[in-house]
Amino acid sequence: MLPDGPQQRQGGPGSGLPLGEVRQECRGLARAAVRLDSPAMDSLLQQTMQAHGLLIAWEEVMAPTLHAVGRKWESTDDRYVEVEHLLSWHVSTVLRRAAVTAPLVSAHVAPVVLACLPGEQHTLPLEALAAGLAERGLPTRMFGAAVPAEALRAAVGRSGPKAVVLWSQSRSTADNTLARQVASTAFGLKGARTTPLVLLAGPGWSVRAATAGMRRPLGLREALNAISALYAEADAVVAAGETTPGPAAPASTSLC
């Protein structure tokens, strides 16, 4: 499962939210959220990202605050819904900003496709992953919420990704058949076609959902490391090929 972040103990004074033992930045964000203080939220989120990077910001500040707000409105007859909406908007804003402003190591390598399954509207975890990949210089194609099955298959076939991350928040949106179809989507030159690694992300997937060509990461950190390892392996293969003499490739194999 992706991005849920660490679970915190109940009870934390200062904001009216059940925060538990958390970083000071988390308490500050919670207080600003309850006050509906947009400038303070934006400033604190930006400072946290710059000071600690994406992983710490998500796992120890953003996710715990979002969880606390969610627990609050669930236990108080839908109070604090406005807090959750405003906080989510600001978290999304800072994550997207990070994803689009980070410099890429190379714009000419296969991307990572990020998509919510049909009917799935929860995008924040994928936005966190996109920001984390951008921080590592890896290219992404973010397709967002509720991507229709046909559009998802077309996007994978046309972009030729190294990995595809499929987010499902609930069992009702997890689609094992679609995941297998994506995992079997082949692209590339005839005779050297390849398929992407599919990461089944989110609590909607069962523990046995991952089959051949799939993985089920248990958090943002694991997903980032798994994807990064794919690119590291590819770089190692390229480096080995460059140092090993061999016949020149025919001009007809160019991907230009």
Side-chain angles (χ1 to χ4, degrees), residues 29-42 45 65-66 69 73 80-94 124:
L29 181 61
R31 286 193 292 269
V34 171
R35 296 195 307 267
L36 304 182
D37 188 340
S38 286
M41 279 190 280
D42 190 59
L45 286 166
T65 309
L66 287 163
V69 173
W73 71 255
Y80 283 72
V81 171
E82 73 285 0
V83 175
E84 184 191 34
H85 280 234
L86 189 61
L87 175 61
S88 296
W89 189 87
H90 280 283
V91 169
S92 176
T93 298
V94 75
L124 277 183

Side-chain angles (χ1 to χ4, degrees), residues 94-150:
V94 75
L95 291 174
R96 294 189 187 199
R97 188 181 298 149
V100 300
T101 58
L104 289 178
V105 172
S106 173
H108 303 290
V109 297
V112 179
V113 164
L114 309 172
C116 290
L117 288 169
E120 181 57 68
Q121 298 294 332
H122 293 79
T123 62
L124 277 183
L126 284 186
E127 291 171 32
L129 180 55
L133 292 170
E135 189 176 70
R136 299 186 181 200
L138 300 178
T140 61
R141 300 292 184 272
M142 166 64 90
F143 291 92
V147 183
E150 183 177 349

Side-chain angles (χ1 to χ4, degrees), residues 173-199:
T173 60
D175 187 334
N176 293 334
T177 299
L178 180 56
R180 288 193 295 270
Q181 291 172 347
V182 171
S184 63
T185 301
F187 38 78
L189 295 173
K190 185 177 180 180
R193 293 172 72 77
T194 187
T195 56
L197 173 68
V198 172
L199 282 74

